[in-house]
Amino acid sequence: MRIRWTALMVAAALASAPAALAAAQTDTHDTETQARNHGGADPDLLWNILGAFGLIGLLGLQRPHDNDGYTDDPI
């Protein structure tokens, strides 16, 4: 019984793939992400670096550990 369900699921997955590929190939317009990737250099590099420093700064908001290090038991 399990083999039948597996075969049915594999057949359904294979049957849907050609339809999805055909639908994707009929559109000739680039998406916003594709157009941005064709541009070459990343103009937002400065903002990406600034955001990375901001995320690193969030590490300072961590609460100190309650454990004093002498035991493995949490308080």
PDB file of all heavy atoms in Angstrom, residues 28-44:
ATOM      1  N   THR A  28       8.228  37.162 -20.962  1.00  0.00           N
ATOM      2  CA  THR A  28       9.474  37.724 -21.475  1.00  0.00           C
ATOM      3  C   THR A  28       9.975  38.891 -20.632  1.00  0.00           C
ATOM      4  O   THR A  28      11.068  39.381 -20.861  1.00  0.00           O
ATOM      5  CB  THR A  28       9.292  38.210 -22.920  1.00  0.00           C
ATOM      6  OG1 THR A  28       8.247  39.193 -22.957  1.00  0.00           O
ATOM      7  CG2 THR A  28       8.947  37.044 -23.826  1.00  0.00           C
ATOM      8  N   HIS A  29       9.194  39.348 -19.667  1.00  0.00           N
ATOM      9  CA  HIS A  29       9.592  40.482 -18.828  1.00  0.00           C
ATOM     10  C   HIS A  29      10.401  39.982 -17.636  1.00  0.00           C
ATOM     11  O   HIS A  29      10.087  38.970 -17.034  1.00  0.00           O
ATOM     12  CB  HIS A  29       8.362  41.241 -18.327  1.00  0.00           C
ATOM     13  CG  HIS A  29       7.539  41.815 -19.433  1.00  0.00           C
ATOM     14  ND1 HIS A  29       7.968  42.862 -20.198  1.00  0.00           N
ATOM     15  CD2 HIS A  29       6.326  41.478 -19.905  1.00  0.00           C
ATOM     16  CE1 HIS A  29       7.049  43.150 -21.104  1.00  0.00           C
ATOM     17  NE2 HIS A  29       6.034  42.316 -20.947  1.00  0.00           N
ATOM     18  N   ASP A  30      11.437  40.736 -17.313  1.00  0.00           N
ATOM     19  CA  ASP A  30      12.243  40.402 -16.137  1.00  0.00           C
ATOM     20  C   ASP A  30      11.516  40.843 -14.877  1.00  0.00           C
ATOM     21  O   ASP A  30      10.839  41.876 -14.860  1.00  0.00           O
ATOM     22  CB  ASP A  30      13.603  41.094 -16.185  1.00  0.00           C
ATOM     23  CG  ASP A  30      14.540  40.463 -17.190  1.00  0.00           C
ATOM     24  OD1 ASP A  30      14.243  39.342 -17.636  1.00  0.00           O
ATOM     25  OD2 ASP A  30      15.559  41.095 -17.520  1.00  0.00           O
ATOM     26  N   THR A  31      11.697  40.066 -13.826  1.00  0.00           N
ATOM     27  CA  THR A  31      11.175  40.495 -12.538  1.00  0.00           C
ATOM     28  C   THR A  31      12.086  41.572 -11.977  1.00  0.00           C
ATOM     29  O   THR A  31      13.173  41.835 -12.517  1.00  0.00           O
ATOM     30  CB  THR A  31      11.104  39.317 -11.556  1.00  0.00           C
ATOM     31  OG1 THR A  31      12.426  38.842 -11.318  1.00  0.00           O
ATOM     32  CG2 THR A  31      10.226  38.197 -12.086  1.00  0.00           C
ATOM     33  N   GLU A  32      11.679  42.207 -10.895  1.00  0.00           N
ATOM     34  CA  GLU A  32      12.498  43.264 -10.305  1.00  0.00           C
ATOM     35  C   GLU A  32      13.829  42.715  -9.824  1.00  0.00           C
ATOM     36  O   GLU A  32      14.873  43.350  -9.989  1.00  0.00           O
ATOM     37  CB  GLU A  32      11.732  43.896  -9.140  1.00  0.00           C
ATOM     38  CG  GLU A  32      12.441  45.070  -8.524  1.00  0.00           C
ATOM     39  CD  GLU A  32      11.633  45.725  -7.422  1.00  0.00           C
ATOM     40  OE1 GLU A  32      10.446  45.411  -7.288  1.00  0.00           O
ATOM     41  OE2 GLU A  32      12.215  46.546  -6.702  1.00  0.00           O
ATOM     42  N   THR A  33      13.812  41.517  -9.257  1.00  0.00           N
ATOM     43  CA  THR A  33      15.051  40.915  -8.770  1.00  0.00           C
ATOM     44  C   THR A  33      15.980  40.572  -9.921  1.00  0.00           C
ATOM     45  O   THR A  33      17.191  40.799  -9.846  1.00  0.00           O
ATOM     46  CB  THR A  33      14.731  39.645  -7.961  1.00  0.00           C
ATOM     47  OG1 THR A  33      13.841  39.991  -6.903  1.00  0.00           O
ATOM     48  CG2 THR A  33      15.991  39.031  -7.388  1.00  0.00           C
ATOM     49  N   GLN A  34      15.441  40.033 -11.016  1.00  0.00           N
ATOM     50  CA  GLN A  34      16.272  39.714 -12.173  1.00  0.00           C
ATOM     51  C   GLN A  34      16.886  40.970 -12.776  1.00  0.00           C
ATOM     52  O   GLN A  34      18.051  40.975 -13.152  1.00  0.00           O
ATOM     53  CB  GLN A  34      15.450  38.974 -13.222  1.00  0.00           C
ATOM     54  CG  GLN A  34      15.079  37.566 -12.820  1.00  0.00           C
ATOM     55  CD  GLN A  34      14.098  36.941 -13.795  1.00  0.00           C
ATOM     56  OE1 GLN A  34      13.364  37.648 -14.493  1.00  0.00           O
ATOM     57  NE2 GLN A  34      14.063  35.620 -13.828  1.00  0.00           N
ATOM     58  N   ALA A  35      16.116  42.045 -12.859  1.00  0.00           N
ATOM     59  CA  ALA A  35      16.637  43.294 -13.405  1.00  0.00           C
ATOM     60  C   ALA A  35      17.742  43.848 -12.514  1.00  0.00           C
ATOM     61  O   ALA A  35      18.744  44.373 -13.003  1.00  0.00           O
ATOM     62  CB  ALA A  35      15.508  44.309 -13.541  1.00  0.00           C
ATOM     63  N   ARG A  36      17.570  43.730 -11.206  1.00  0.00           N
ATOM     64  CA  ARG A  36      18.585  44.222 -10.275  1.00  0.00           C
ATOM     65  C   ARG A  36      19.858  43.388 -10.372  1.00  0.00           C
ATOM     66  O   ARG A  36      20.962  43.912 -10.305  1.00  0.00           O
ATOM     67  CB  ARG A  36      18.009  44.191  -8.865  1.00  0.00           C
ATOM     68  CG  ARG A  36      18.838  44.904  -7.855  1.00  0.00           C
ATOM     69  CD  ARG A  36      18.144  44.991  -6.509  1.00  0.00           C
ATOM     70  NE  ARG A  36      17.416  43.777  -6.219  1.00  0.00           N
ATOM     71  CZ  ARG A  36      16.157  43.729  -5.761  1.00  0.00           C
ATOM     72  NH1 ARG A  36      15.505  44.823  -5.547  1.00  0.00           N
ATOM     73  NH2 ARG A  36      15.552  42.597  -5.526  1.00  0.00           N
ATOM     74  N   ASN A  37      19.722  42.086 -10.560  1.00  0.00           N
ATOM     75  CA  ASN A  37      20.884  41.215 -10.666  1.00  0.00           C
ATOM     76  C   ASN A  37      21.636  41.417 -11.972  1.00  0.00           C
ATOM     77  O   ASN A  37      22.838  41.192 -12.036  1.00  0.00           O
ATOM     78  CB  ASN A  37      20.480  39.753 -10.518  1.00  0.00           C
ATOM     79  CG  ASN A  37      20.129  39.395  -9.093  1.00  0.00           C
ATOM     80  OD1 ASN A  37      20.524  40.081  -8.165  1.00  0.00           O
ATOM     81  ND2 ASN A  37      19.390  38.318  -8.934  1.00  0.00           N
ATOM     82  N   HIS A  38      20.957  41.845 -13.020  1.00  0.00           N
ATOM     83  CA  HIS A  38      21.619  42.104 -14.304  1.00  0.00           C
ATOM     84  C   HIS A  38      22.406  43.407 -14.269  1.00  0.00           C
ATOM     85  O   HIS A  38      23.215  43.665 -15.145  1.00  0.00           O
ATOM     86  CB  HIS A  38      20.598  42.167 -15.439  1.00  0.00           C
ATOM     87  CG  HIS A  38      19.986  40.848 -15.767  1.00  0.00           C
ATOM     88  ND1 HIS A  38      20.717  39.743 -16.100  1.00  0.00           N
ATOM     89  CD2 HIS A  38      18.693  40.452 -15.804  1.00  0.00           C
ATOM     90  CE1 HIS A  38      19.910  38.722 -16.339  1.00  0.00           C
ATOM     91  NE2 HIS A  38      18.665  39.120 -16.145  1.00  0.00           N
ATOM     92  N   GLY A  39      22.189  44.227 -13.255  1.00  0.00           N
ATOM     93  CA  GLY A  39      22.833  45.534 -13.163  1.00  0.00           C
ATOM     94  C   GLY A  39      24.323  45.468 -12.893  1.00  0.00           C
ATOM     95  O   GLY A  39      25.039  46.399 -13.174  1.00  0.00           O
ATOM     96  N   GLY A  40      24.813  44.398 -12.318  1.00  0.00           N
ATOM     97  CA  GLY A  40      26.244  44.281 -12.055  1.00  0.00           C
ATOM     98  C   GLY A  40      26.583  44.583 -10.615  1.00  0.00           C
ATOM     99  O   GLY A  40      26.258  43.818  -9.718  1.00  0.00           O
ATOM    100  N   ALA A  41      27.238  45.712 -10.362  1.00  0.00           N
ATOM    101  CA  ALA A  41      27.710  46.056  -9.023  1.00  0.00           C
ATOM    102  C   ALA A  41      26.536  46.312  -8.084  1.00  0.00           C
ATOM    103  O   ALA A  41      25.461  46.736  -8.510  1.00  0.00           O
ATOM    104  CB  ALA A  41      28.603  47.280  -9.085  1.00  0.00           C
ATOM    105  N   ASP A  42      26.760  46.067  -6.802  1.00  0.00           N
ATOM    106  CA  ASP A  42      25.723  46.264  -5.801  1.00  0.00           C
ATOM    107  C   ASP A  42      25.793  47.696  -5.287  1.00  0.00           C
ATOM    108  O   ASP A  42      26.719  48.050  -4.549  1.00  0.00           O
ATOM    109  CB  ASP A  42      25.926  45.263  -4.657  1.00  0.00           C
ATOM    110  CG  ASP A  42      24.824  45.326  -3.634  1.00  0.00           C
ATOM    111  OD1 ASP A  42      23.766  45.908  -3.937  1.00  0.00           O
ATOM    112  OD2 ASP A  42      25.015  44.785  -2.533  1.00  0.00           O
ATOM    113  N   PRO A  43      24.830  48.559  -5.630  1.00  0.00           N
ATOM    114  CA  PRO A  43      24.890  49.949  -5.169  1.00  0.00           C
ATOM    115  C   PRO A  43      24.529  50.092  -3.693  1.00  0.00           C
ATOM    116  O   PRO A  43      24.760  51.133  -3.097  1.00  0.00           O
ATOM    117  CB  PRO A  43      23.861  50.658  -6.045  1.00  0.00           C
ATOM    118  CG  PRO A  43      22.890  49.593  -6.408  1.00  0.00           C
ATOM    119  CD  PRO A  43      23.695  48.318  -6.504  1.00  0.00           C
ATOM    120  N   ASP A  44      23.980  49.050  -3.096  1.00  0.00           N
ATOM    121  CA  ASP A  44      23.561  49.123  -1.704  1.00  0.00           C
ATOM    122  C   ASP A  44      24.598  48.537  -0.755  1.00  0.00           C
ATOM    123  O   ASP A  44      24.269  48.184   0.379  1.00  0.00           O
ATOM    124  CB  ASP A  44      22.234  48.391  -1.516  1.00  0.00           C
ATOM    125  CG  ASP A  44      21.098  49.060  -2.263  1.00  0.00           C
ATOM    126  OD1 ASP A  44      21.161  50.290  -2.432  1.00  0.00           O
ATOM    127  OD2 ASP A  44      20.160  48.362  -2.665  1.00  0.00           O
TER     128      ASP A  44
END
